[in-house]
Amino acid sequence: MAYKFEELYDLPLEPQDGGKRVPRWFTNLVTVVLGGLCKLLFRLEPQHLERIRAFQGRTGVLVTCNHTSFLDVVMLFLVIRPKQWVRYMARDTLFGNAKGFMGYLISRLGAFPVARDSADRTSIKRASTMLKRGEIVGIMPEGTRRGKSGTEPKIHSGAAFVARMGKVPILPATVRNAEKVKEKGKFVRFPKITVDFANPVLLSDFDFVDKKDRLDAASWYVMRESFALFQNVPREQVDMVALFPTGRDFTQLFAEHPVPEHTVEEVLELFDPKQPVAQAESQGE
């Protein structure tokens, strides 16, 4: 059955009570064709994939990632497919590109629009509904590609807000070397690209932060986790001031009040204690 692409935003990945769902044939085709090309050209490799696989059938999860290239979203999507499916919160202006054809394509891949630099309540409600259904939602908290748009990099607190509304943990991730595929003034290259996942983060661990700063601090923290993966260094060695020179810096706050680090098993016991994590991981793989 054909849908106007706007109708796809609110359809679930799995049918609810016998209802409609997001069509799968296009996504499956893209996964096979594009996934095969990326594995061939970029030797695409996931690391710590079990950390996201463990959420399958247990609870929704918000995946956050730093943003250096358009390929970030592609590579993250492909390593999660076909066993799971990440639905991206994407800039609303993308959906009108090519006379709406871009909107048609990315909507069929599960994306939905968000208005940049605004409190887009419709988008937030959609994302929280998806998370409560047990789906994966992907957000790039920087909002735009670093160093590509001329926009000053900043961290949007919407990621933590969406996780709070959806009542789910956050799973920081990164994509390494996608930014090296096409650098300004250089020919296209084909570096090895790696997608890596950190341990999950619980918003409840930020209750010690003043309420007015809590979402900003939590979003800052998960972005530092992503950059720690990206740079392959301990989180304390990430220079967040250099990365976000005009933004607030919470380095000292977290140095004085370290946030507990949780394994996936510990987090999932809080959200779905009925099924052993080992069983969930074996089903996911």
Side-chain angles (χ1 to χ4, degrees):
M1 182 182 293
Y3 301 103
K4 293 180 179 179
F5 69 78
E6 294 92 342
E7 295 175 350
L8 299 176
Y9 304 156
D10 297 309
L11 289 182
L13 296 180
E14 296 295 340
Q16 308 288 307
D17 300 322
K20 301 175 182 177
R21 70 177 184 184
V22 177
R24 293 175 177 269
W25 70 267
F26 180 75
T27 303
N28 292 338
L29 178 63
V30 168
T31 301
V32 171
V33 175
L34 197 56
L37 283 173
C38 288
K39 287 181 180 178
L40 176 65
L41 297 174
F42 303 111
R43 288 94 68 203
L44 178 61
E45 179 185 21
Q47 293 183 347
H48 301 110
L49 185 63
E50 72 280 357
R51 288 174 175 164
I52 193 163
R53 287 285 187 254
F55 286 92
Q56 187 174 12
R58 304 289 297 275
T59 181
V61 61
L62 181 74
V63 175
T64 59
C65 185
N66 59 313
H67 200 11
T68 62
S69 165
F70 279 131
L71 289 175
D72 293 334
V73 295
V74 176
M75 300 301 176
L76 186 58
F77 182 88
L78 289 174
V79 300
I80 292 174
R81 292 289 297 163
K83 294 176 181 176
Q84 292 166 287
W85 190 338
V86 57
R87 304 191 70 165
Y88 283 113
M89 183 180 283
R91 189 175 73 245
D92 59 346
T93 54
L94 290 176
F95 290 78
N97 288 353
K99 297 183 179 180
F101 184 65
M102 178 63 77
Y104 173 81
L105 292 179
I106 62 178
S107 296
R108 281 190 167 268
L109 294 173
F112 59 102
V114 59
R116 183 189 287 181
D117 298 324
S118 68
D120 189 340
R121 295 185 179 183
T122 299
S123 179
I124 291 171
K125 183 177 179 181
R126 279 194 179 112
S128 63
T129 298
M130 293 170 183
L131 292 168
K132 290 175 182 176
R133 283 198 300 251
E135 297 176 4
I136 302 170
V137 172
I139 293 180
M140 305 292 181
E142 290 174 280
T144 189
R145 291 171 298 152
R146 172 171 289 270
K148 299 295 176 64
S149 66
T151 304
E152 187 74 30
K154 60 181 179 179
I155 302 173
H156 298 269
S157 62
F161 184 64
V162 168
R164 186 178 74 178
M165 293 295 292
K167 301 179 181 179
V168 296
I170 300 174
L171 192 70
T174 198
V175 180
R176 300 192 195 97
N177 293 331
E179 75 283 0
K180 296 178 181 178
V181 173
K182 183 62 180 80
E183 296 178 295
K184 188 175 181 179
K186 296 182 179 180
F187 291 110
V188 173
R189 294 186 292 174
F190 300 96
K192 179 180 177 62
I193 293 180
T194 304
V195 179
D196 201 356
F197 298 91
N199 277 318
V201 176
L202 295 172
L203 287 182
S204 58
D205 287 334
F206 298 88
D207 286 349
F208 70 91
V209 182
D210 189 276
K211 190 173 182 179
K212 65 181 177 61
D213 297 327
R214 195 170 298 159
L215 294 179
D216 288 332
S219 295
W220 183 97
Y221 184 88
V222 298
M223 281 306 300
R224 187 175 68 166
E225 293 291 282
S226 288
F227 276 105
L229 288 176
F230 183 73
Q231 298 173 8
N232 200 22
V233 299
R235 61 176 67 89
E236 293 80 11
Q237 292 183 18
V238 177
D239 188 346
M240 293 291 281
V241 174
L243 291 167
F244 302 97
T246 61
R248 295 190 60 186
D249 180 43
F250 294 93
T251 302
Q252 188 60 36
L253 174 66
F254 291 122
E256 296 172 355
H257 302 278
V259 173
E261 184 164 1
H262 304 283
T263 65
V264 176
E265 291 85 351
E266 291 169 346
V267 168
L268 286 174
E269 281 297 314
L270 297 175
F271 287 88
D272 182 11
K274 291 181 260 187
Q275 182 181 8
V277 173
Q279 181 180 348
E281 289 179 349
S282 65
Q283 289 176 353
E285 296 302 327

